[in-house]
Structures are given as structure tokens and as C-alpha cells.
Amino acid sequence: MSSEQNPTTPETAEEPGPRPGRLTAAAALAALEGLALVVGGAWMLVGGLTGHPDDRTSALTGGVTLIVLALLPLLAARGLIARRGWSRGPAVITQIMALPVAYNLLQADSVAIPAGIVLGVVAVTALVLLVNPTTTQALGIRGPGGAEK
């Protein structure tokens, strides 16, 4: 068979070898953020249904929104573990979206400040791990001009 009839994909072009620790750590951080969003959304839903919120509709909508938003980092984490190149984009977007949230939490005069610190550290750490050359190479992502190589 010629190469036109049997094209190779990035997954089959190279033997993957062991998964780099940086990639696993980035996937774990993305999964942690996704799980935190699910827990926060569930907490808002339960509070909206069983408690006495100021606005029940807003509590329910916020809870559902957080749970739906959790899909992005959870799918990204799954893709990172499976070494799918597409997964880095959603993971990076999640981290970029987390930075303003962390900043807003840091501006609060409450117990939200430690949460803002933790979220900021996690987001910056995950970004560093995701743009690391080892992670990029493990995901089969080529830089500019790398298509001919």
C-alpha cells in the first residue's frame, strides 16, 4: 500500500513511550478544576432547591452553568491523559478563564482570598505545564514550520 492509501496519524507515526510527568500533572490539574466546578455547581443547585436563596432562579441557573462549564476541563483532562493534541487548547482556555476568577476572589474581603490564591497558583502552574516543550512534543503538536519535518 502506498502512503496515500494508508496515511499515518500522529498517534501511529511515532511510538508514544511513557507519558511525561508534566503531561500527567497538567491533566490532573485540569481534572481537579473540573471536579471543583462540578462540586460548586452541585452546591449551588442543592442550596437553590433546599435553602432560601435571594433568587432561586439565579441559584439554579448558576449551578447548572457551573456543571456545564466543568465539561471543558474534564474533557481536556481526559484528552491530555490519552495524548490527544486537541486537548491542549481547551486546557489552556480553562486556565486563562481561571485567572480573572482568581483575581476577583483575591479582591474580596472574605474567606474567598485563600481560594483565589489556590486557583491562581493552579492556573499558572497548569499553563506552564501545558506550554512546556516536553508536553507539546508528547501531544504531537508541532511548532511553526514543523509540518515538513
Side-chain angles (χ1 to χ4, degrees):
M1 254 183 167
S2 71
S3 62
E4 289 90 19
Q5 294 171 334
N6 189 15
T8 58
T9 61
E11 293 82 24
T12 60
E14 301 173 8
E15 189 62 33
R19 182 182 314 113
R22 290 178 177 107
L23 181 59
T24 304
L29 290 174
L32 178 68
E33 289 171 329
L35 291 175
L37 284 169
V38 168
V39 169
W43 182 53
M44 285 180 75
L45 277 175
V46 170
L49 292 173
T50 62
H52 300 293
D54 293 337
D55 185 5
R56 187 173 307 274
T57 304
S58 293
L60 296 177
T61 303
V64 170
T65 301
L66 285 180
I67 291 171
V68 170
L69 283 175
L71 293 174
L72 184 67
L74 291 173
L75 289 172
R78 185 169 186 226
L80 289 171
I81 288 293
R83 291 185 173 189
R84 303 289 185 245
W86 61 262
S87 62
R88 189 174 80 156
V92 168
I93 290 169
T94 299
Q95 307 320 314
I96 291 171
M97 289 178 5
L99 290 173
V101 174
Y103 178 78
N104 283 332
L105 289 172
L106 289 172
Q107 301 304 310
D109 292 328
S110 67
V111 295
I113 292 174
I117 293 170
V118 169
L119 181 58
V121 168
V122 167
V124 169
T125 302
L127 275 172
V128 168
L129 291 170
L130 288 166
V131 299
N132 187 283
T134 304
T135 303
T136 303
Q137 184 180 15
L139 292 172
I141 299 170
R142 297 187 195 119
E148 293 86 32
K149 295 179 182 177

